[in-house]
Amino acid sequence: MPDALLRFTVSPVQTFIAEARRTADLYAGSRILAELVRAAARSLQEAGADLIYPANLDAGDPPNVIVARVPWEDAEQLAQQATAALQARWQAFADEALTTLRGLVDLDEKLERQWRSQVADLWEVYWAAARIENDDYATAFGRSQAGVAALKKTRVFVQHAEAGAKDTLSGNRAALARDGEDPRAFWRRVRRHPRGARLVGEHERLDAVGTVKRFHGAKTSYPSVPTITARPFARRAAVQAAQALASYRDAFELLVTAFGEQPDRYRRTGLAIEGFPYDGAFLYEATLEWPALVEELGLDPARAEQRRTQVDSILRDARARLAKLYQVVGHRPSRYVAVLVLDGDSMGQWLASVLAEGGVEAHREVSRALTHFADAAENVLQAAAPDGVYVYRGGDDVVALAPAEQAMPLALTLARTFLEKTGGRTASAGVAIGHWLEPLGDLLQSAREAEKRAKRLPGKSAIAVELQPRGGETIRVVARTDQLAALDLTDLVDRFRRDGAGSLSGRLPTDLRQLARAFPQVDAAFRAVLTRAVKRQGEWPPGMSEEREHLVDRLYAFATSYDQLWASLPDETGSQWPERVPPGSAQLADWLALARFLARGGGE
């Protein structure tokens, strides 16, 4: 019986994950997808298929593509079994969420019909099998890959139009509601349940798919965006201002009790610290403003208003103690979060090359290397971004959330680890930095766009960043990882943050932006004005001239590297400069602007 190569994948992936307003939505979307693919892969394994990719279903998150060696005559049956296993796992998630919803509010037949319709029409499964003839694994791999690609270009699903208000996660499907009831009223009713406030926001309305994600994520202790952004501050406060932190914690607990709630309701284990084991949102003064506080605590606005006079003095005291905590620590927590997306460079070309030379065993080796990278990524996070969390890590892909100041160390360390674990293959990353109030789905999309810009840089192994400040223009920068290692962004952040000798003024990036317009070419003239700008916009007491010159050398070398990269490109025209290699002088100014932003914690 001849063998075949079976390629199996499911869609949608990126849109399913990106439909998110909370970190828990991103995480739950990733976990659900991983479990669906894992169920399909285990089905193949249990039926006797030789699973080639992924190499290990228990390491990291399984990728969205399954490759297995199966008997040719059994390929269709095995693919159908894998599809059934995937759908059954999804149905189990959906049934569990529906049971939870029934426990919060009464449902009717109209809503349950809507639920069944939305749940049933979500997943599109694509598979293709190709005979392995004359032991030519590489050709079979290419044919199965082409088969799946062709299927994806064929619209085999029916598009359903739904009337009514759309859900707030996807904006595509109709929000759930009972017959004759406005979806907003229905979801307010869900939120008013004692267990509903932490599941649904005051102005949210969900469809069936969003409900499955939201209720699935609620079972984990995945940290919120403000918990991620505030944790560096919270850890410093626990060390530098333990007494002030304890004083504010006592005030917060008294405030919660005054509203008739239990403080334990707001405890968070994910990324919480012992000194303040509550959601990081309560470390921001804006959360202690009345409307925001009522919403964050999940209270009925009308009932909360009845207690306003009773809690007013307690609230003022909590605000005063939080202000004192800021004073003792020396700064406020940043409000900016980073979404990081990393992906291996030219993976298709690499795989085609190794398959042509080594066949199936070479493919297994690639699978094992990617598994080793996924395993190592956990330690990378703890070392480079201790306040970050992974959304996904599997295959050659990583999606993570981190405080803005920790995103670049994480990206660089992940890229270096990928190089080590894959025997010299490179990876590129996109980072989007935005305010904690920005929709997470939008930030994830911006990170993916930044990743595309990184992969356009010649030679790749690059990192692109898109900074979206709450006020001011968007900054987009890109550089190769070796350029960034030499630039030492961490040192620049420290120089913008510190006072005294060796510090840099916040005016330096602004001055360099103006100089970059006058001196677009990185030459001797640019070096002269760069030297003058660093000297004028820094603290350089006697005896520090050598350190200052070393800094100028570093900055100039970084700017020059763009010109050198441009010069190395064959047959390029000047019109392609901005798309492939940006001007070095302007990029230096923008990287310095990014360092200044990070040093100021977002300018808050």
Side-chain angles (χ1 to χ4, degrees):
M1 181 182 295
D3 280 351
L5 193 67
L6 174 64
R7 185 180 184 89
F8 183 100
T9 187
V10 62
S11 183
V13 174
Q14 292 188 9
T15 55
F16 179 73
I17 295 176
E19 291 172 358
R21 292 173 65 90
R22 302 180 179 183
T23 55
D25 296 334
L26 285 179
Y27 183 73
S30 177
R31 295 280 73 71
I32 289 170
L33 273 167
E35 286 303 313
L36 298 185
V37 174
R38 188 176 279 115
R42 289 205 187 283
S43 169
L44 292 172
Q45 274 188 326
E46 291 168 0
D50 179 12
L51 193 64
I52 299 170
Y53 183 72
N56 185 346
L57 289 175
D58 298 318
D61 300 315
N64 186 44
V65 174
I66 302 169
V67 178
R69 189 166 184 162
V70 301
W72 170 250
E73 286 81 359
D74 298 337
E76 182 175 0
Q77 179 183 351
L78 291 174
Q80 290 174 348
Q81 289 177 0
T83 301
L86 183 149
Q87 295 287 6
R89 191 76 178 100
W90 167 245
Q91 190 61 51
F93 285 134
D95 290 346
E96 189 175 8
L98 184 59
T99 298
T100 301
L101 184 61
R102 287 190 183 118
L104 302 176
V105 65
D106 293 333
L107 308 183
D108 65 1
E109 179 56 32
K110 179 264 181 184
L111 187 147
E112 299 215 11
R113 282 198 310 270
Q114 184 183 5
W115 179 281
R116 290 191 295 269
S117 174
Q118 291 180 344
V119 164
D121 291 337
L122 181 62
W123 300 109
E124 304 159 27
V125 173
Y126 303 95
W127 65 269
R131 284 178 183 266
I132 302 176
E133 299 176 341
N134 301 319
D135 205 29
D136 188 351
Y137 180 86
T139 298
F141 181 88
R143 288 175 177 171
S144 65
Q145 188 177 40
V148 169
L151 284 171
K152 286 186 174 182
K153 293 179 180 179
T154 305
R155 294 180 65 91
V156 295
F157 59 92
V158 178
Q159 186 169 352
H160 295 281
E162 293 183 298
K166 302 303 181 186
D167 72 289
T168 50
L169 259 63
S170 74
N172 296 323
R173 294 173 292 267
L176 294 171
R178 295 174 297 199
D179 192 17
E181 186 174 20
D182 185 283
R184 289 178 288 270
F186 174 78
W187 284 103
R188 278 198 299 269
R189 188 181 298 275
V190 173
R191 180 173 168 78
R192 297 296 177 257
H193 190 280
R195 290 185 290 115
R198 67 186 181 90
L199 295 174
V200 186
E202 184 65 30
H203 305 291
E204 287 186 312
R205 52 188 186 272
L206 306 177
D207 68 341
V209 176
T211 304
V212 174
K213 290 172 63 176
R214 180 63 60 80
F215 287 12
H216 180 78
K219 295 185 176 180
T220 66
S221 185
Y222 202 72
S224 65
V225 169
T227 299
I228 294 170
T229 57
R231 191 167 188 251
F233 168 86
R235 286 195 297 110
R236 293 186 193 111
V239 175
Q240 302 171 10
Q243 186 174 352
L245 181 62
S247 175
Y248 172 63
R249 182 195 62 221
D250 293 344
F252 170 73
E253 291 173 348
L254 181 62
L255 177 63
V256 170
T257 303
F259 277 108
E261 301 293 333
Q262 294 297 318
D264 281 353
R265 178 181 173 185
Y266 308 101
R267 282 181 175 265
R268 303 289 184 266
T269 56
L271 292 187
I273 64 167
E274 185 176 350
F276 191 81
Y278 303 107
D279 195 284
F282 299 111
L283 287 171
Y284 293 90
E285 72 273 31
T287 309
L288 297 187
E289 296 297 326
W290 183 262
L293 180 64
V294 170
E295 181 169 351
E296 197 67 41
L297 292 175
L299 306 177
D300 183 306
R303 293 182 180 179
E305 192 64 34
Q306 295 173 0
R307 292 178 178 261
R308 188 161 187 171
T309 302
Q310 177 183 343
V311 303
D312 189 54
S313 62
I314 301 174
L315 178 56
R316 285 199 305 270
D317 181 57
R319 289 172 180 159
R321 295 194 194 191
L322 183 58
K324 180 65 174 178
L325 177 62
Y326 292 163
Q327 180 182 355
V328 176
V329 176
H331 63 87
R332 288 171 163 77
S334 171
R335 287 185 169 92
Y336 283 83
V337 67
V339 179
L340 179 150
V341 176
L342 179 134
D343 181 66
D345 292 330
S346 304
M347 293 299 291
Q349 295 177 14
W350 177 39
L351 192 55
S353 175
V354 298
L355 293 187
E357 295 178 4
V360 63
E361 291 308 316
H363 196 179
R364 293 188 201 279
E365 195 60 35
V366 170
S367 296
R368 285 191 286 267
L370 296 178
T371 296
H372 294 158
F373 167 68
D375 283 341
E378 185 60 37
N379 291 332
V380 167
L381 185 75
Q382 294 173 8
D387 302 316
V389 287
Y390 283 125
V391 175
Y392 175 86
R393 56 184 177 93
D396 63 323
D397 297 319
V398 169
V399 180
L401 302 172
E405 65 191 75
Q406 297 176 12
M408 288 305 297
L410 177 59
L412 285 167
T413 309
L414 281 172
R416 185 168 61 249
T417 303
F418 189 86
L419 190 76
E420 294 169 355
K421 297 300 180 182
T422 60
R425 303 302 306 180
T426 63
S428 294
V431 177
I433 299 174
H435 195 277
W436 69 333
L437 294 178
E438 293 296 322
L440 271 178
D442 291 350
L443 280 179
L444 178 59
Q445 181 60 34
S446 295
R448 295 197 186 282
E449 292 299 323
E451 180 200 14
K452 293 177 183 177
R453 289 194 295 275
K455 286 182 176 290
R456 286 198 292 267
L457 204 64
K460 301 175 183 176
S461 186
I463 298 173
V465 182
E466 179 168 314
L467 170 61
Q468 303 173 1
R470 195 69 168 169
E473 63 178 335
T474 297
I475 296 174
R476 294 184 177 91
V477 288
V478 62
R480 288 175 55 91
T481 55
D482 56 350
Q483 293 174 302
L484 290 170
L487 179 64
D488 194 354
L489 195 68
T490 300
D491 174 71
L492 295 177
V493 171
D494 177 66
R495 290 182 184 277
F496 281 118
R497 182 177 287 157
R498 77 169 81 153
D499 294 321
S503 64
L504 293 174
S505 164
R507 283 198 54 81
L508 179 60
T510 305
D511 285 358
L512 283 181
R513 278 177 173 167
Q514 296 174 347
L515 292 171
R517 297 187 186 99
F519 299 90
Q521 302 299 316
V522 183
D523 51 17
F526 176 76
R527 183 186 176 93
V529 296
L530 173 63
T531 301
R532 185 175 64 179
V534 170
K535 187 175 182 179
R536 291 177 58 188
Q537 302 299 338
E539 289 286 337
W540 306 108
M544 293 195 69
S545 59
E546 185 176 351
E547 180 178 332
R548 185 185 68 231
E549 286 305 309
H550 282 319
L551 175 60
V552 171
D553 288 343
R554 208 168 83 216
L555 299 178
Y556 180 72
F558 179 78
T560 303
S561 65
Y562 287 89
D563 284 1
Q564 294 171 339
L565 186 57
W566 170 258
S568 70
L569 297 180
D571 302 322
E572 294 286 354
T573 64
S575 63
Q576 291 176 307
W577 178 292
E579 294 186 8
R580 297 295 306 276
V581 185
S585 56
Q587 279 293 286
L588 174 62
D590 284 346
W591 277 104
L592 286 170
L594 174 63
R596 178 185 61 188
F597 180 90
L598 296 175
R600 294 177 175 178
E604 301 293 338

